[in-house]
Amino acid sequence: TLDDLQLTRGAAAYVASDPGRFQRAFNTDALGGSLIYRFWPTLHVFVDDRTVVYGEAFMDDYNKVLAGRTGWDAVLDRWGITTAIVRTSTVTATLLRASPAWRVDYADDRNVIFSRTAAAPVP
């Protein structure tokens, strides 16, 4: 199974406790497969490791957030992202932790889950 490989059991349990909150979630590509495995069709991922199917423009947006390039927050706004499920070691996790627009809802040694402190713009 894919249980506890990328998405920890604790993070999966947190998402499972209220999956409706994660309808507009950003996730890192490494977590996409685990999220699909565990929650499809209830939850749709932002991206998974099949990056070629998403197209260049979308992947540019994704990589802007992943690398923390200028405008990363505007990408999340444009997509109406309200939650984020990321690896603790990512630049994205560091940026979201530092942003007053986001709060940590769950964290363990591998995953961190955030939610917006204010409503996201409607795309």
Side-chain angles (χ1 to χ4, degrees):
T1 76
L2 295 178
D3 288 337
D4 210 36
L5 291 178
Q6 296 289 333
L7 184 69
T8 62
R9 283 185 171 82
Y14 186 85
V15 172
S17 72
D18 190 3
R21 288 188 54 228
F22 298 93
Q23 296 306 304
R24 305 287 305 173
F26 174 87
N27 64 274
T28 51
D29 59 319
L31 290 172
S34 294
L35 289 165
I36 291 168
Y37 171 77
R38 178 70 169 77
F39 296 106
W40 178 263
T42 304
L43 185 138
H44 296 261
V45 298
F46 188 79
V47 67
D48 61 45
D49 60 359
R50 301 168 300 156
T51 56
V52 296
V53 303
Y54 290 97
E56 191 173 326
F58 176 85
M59 290 309 296
D60 285 345
D61 272 357
Y62 168 70
N63 285 317
K64 185 178 281 189
V65 176
L66 188 65
R69 293 194 317 257
T70 302
W72 66 269
D73 49 347
V75 171
L76 297 179
D77 289 349
R78 189 170 65 253
W79 285 95
I81 299 300
T82 58
T83 55
I85 308 163
V86 300
R87 299 283 296 187
T88 58
S89 59
T90 61
V91 171
T92 308
T94 302
L95 291 170
L96 294 176
R97 280 185 193 276
S99 172
W102 293 88
R103 73 168 181 259
V104 174
D105 290 333
Y106 172 88
D108 59 36
D109 62 329
R110 289 185 284 157
N111 302 139
V112 60
I113 299 173
F114 297 90
S115 62
R116 283 192 183 258
T117 57
V122 177

